[in-house]
Amino acid sequence: SQQGEEDPQALSIQEGENATMNCSYKTSINNLQWYRQNSGRGLVHLILIRSNEREKHSGRLRVTLDTSKKSSSLLITASRAADTASYFCATGDNSGNTPLVFGKGTRLSVIA
Amino acid sequence: DSGVTQTPKHLITATGQRVTLRCSPRSGDLSVYWYQQSLDQGLQFLIQYYNGEERAKGNILERFSAQQFPDLHSELNLSSLELGDSALYFCASSPIGDRDYEQYFGPGTRLTVT
């Protein structure tokens, strides 16, 4: 399965600290996306990184992709209480028209 | 607000019943995706439609079916409901059916089967 697996499953940090979440996957991918989900709500797209990219930034978010290790990381700098949510990686493979496959997520708690 | 709407927000029904969940994609989006999210299974892809036609199928049970209408809204039909079908059901849309594009998620329908 190409399903991404996030690590850790849960993370608790103090406000102002950085949060790092990792995603590993098994097959060759075309792109990798990160989404955020506040409790019980719909997912919100954060960032998409293509297989030929190594790093991408968006505001306080930094995503890296290492295709040789089949892994990605999401870094949230200077975290805020409002960043408390679950974060999912989703992979789109390059072997046809298969849809995105989501991991089970990392639950981030930012304590004020 | 993603621009994707889902109705109803909550649904409580009994085992053996049938329900219909409705989704309206963002204006202009041709592709609709359905997902099921439960605590133990995470977010599971069910099915995708693109411009009225089925594009991809995931872990969708035979008791479940979906369709996309000419106005691009979609419905997910769940029949012979079981307790294990209790979950959040999300609809998402994207401009085209390509996985290279981000998906815009609706607020979800929470289904409780009693």
Side-chain angles (χ1 to χ4, degrees):
Chain A
S1 165
Q2 70 175 78
Q3 184 177 32
E5 294 185 4
E6 294 89 346
D7 173 67
Q9 289 186 337
L11 179 62
S12 184
I13 59 174
Q14 296 288 326
E15 204 168 30
E17 293 180 340
N18 295 341
T20 299
M21 288 157 271
N22 303 296
C23 171
S24 60
Y25 56 92
K26 295 180 182 178
T27 62
S28 297
I29 61 169
N30 195 53
N31 69 73
L32 187 143
Q33 303 183 33
W34 285 92
Y35 287 78
R36 183 188 74 215
Q37 183 182 31
N38 289 83
S39 181
R41 301 201 173 186
L43 279 72
V44 175
H45 181 266
L46 295 176
I47 201 163
L48 181 153
I49 187 166
R50 301 191 186 282
S51 59
N52 61 352
E53 297 176 309
R54 291 295 167 259
E55 189 171 310
K56 208 161 182 180
H57 296 257
S58 176
R60 292 182 297 112
L61 306 180
R62 173 179 166 244
V63 168
T64 62
L65 179 64
D66 187 335
T67 53
S68 66
K69 294 181 179 178
K70 292 187 169 57
S71 68
S72 173
S73 68
L74 170 66
L75 168 68
I76 304 175
T77 60
S79 63
R80 306 166 182 168
D83 295 327
T84 295
S86 290
Y87 292 81
F88 296 86
C89 68
T91 52
D93 77 10
N94 57 8
S95 64
N97 194 35
T98 52
L100 287 179
V101 179
F102 287 80
K104 293 194 175 182
T106 291
R107 184 184 301 275
L108 173 66
S109 298
V110 181
I111 303 166
Chain B
D1 184 2
S2 67
V4 178
T5 60
Q6 289 187 249
T7 56
K9 285 187 178 178
H10 301 278
L11 201 47
I12 302 174
T13 189
T15 55
Q17 295 299 306
R18 173 189 169 94
V19 297
T20 297
L21 312 183
R22 183 188 169 104
C23 168
S24 292
R26 288 190 326 154
S27 177
D29 283 359
L30 299 178
S31 200
V32 169
Y33 309 79
W34 285 98
Y35 295 89
Q36 178 193 58
Q37 186 178 40
S38 56
L39 283 174
D40 57 342
Q41 291 294 321
L43 194 69
Q44 298 287 314
F45 168 72
L46 296 178
I47 197 164
Q48 176 198 359
Y49 278 83
Y50 175 71
N51 204 21
E53 297 200 358
E54 183 182 304
R55 172 65 72 93
K57 216 167 187 176
N59 301 321
I60 188 166
L61 300 172
E62 286 191 10
R63 299 184 287 106
F64 296 180
S65 65
Q67 54 184 326
Q68 186 179 28
F69 294 87
D71 67 352
L72 300 177
H73 91 271
S74 177
E75 292 181 357
L76 178 68
N77 301 295
L78 315 175
S79 62
S80 303
L81 285 168
E82 301 174 359
L83 295 177
D85 297 328
S86 295
L88 268 169
Y89 291 84
F90 288 105
C91 161
S93 73
S94 66
I96 62 175
D98 196 295
R99 62 192 174 274
D100 277 357
Y101 289 82
E102 65 183 272
Q103 296 182 17
Y104 297 86
F105 280 75
T109 292
R110 183 175 294 278
L111 173 67
T112 303
V113 182
T114 62

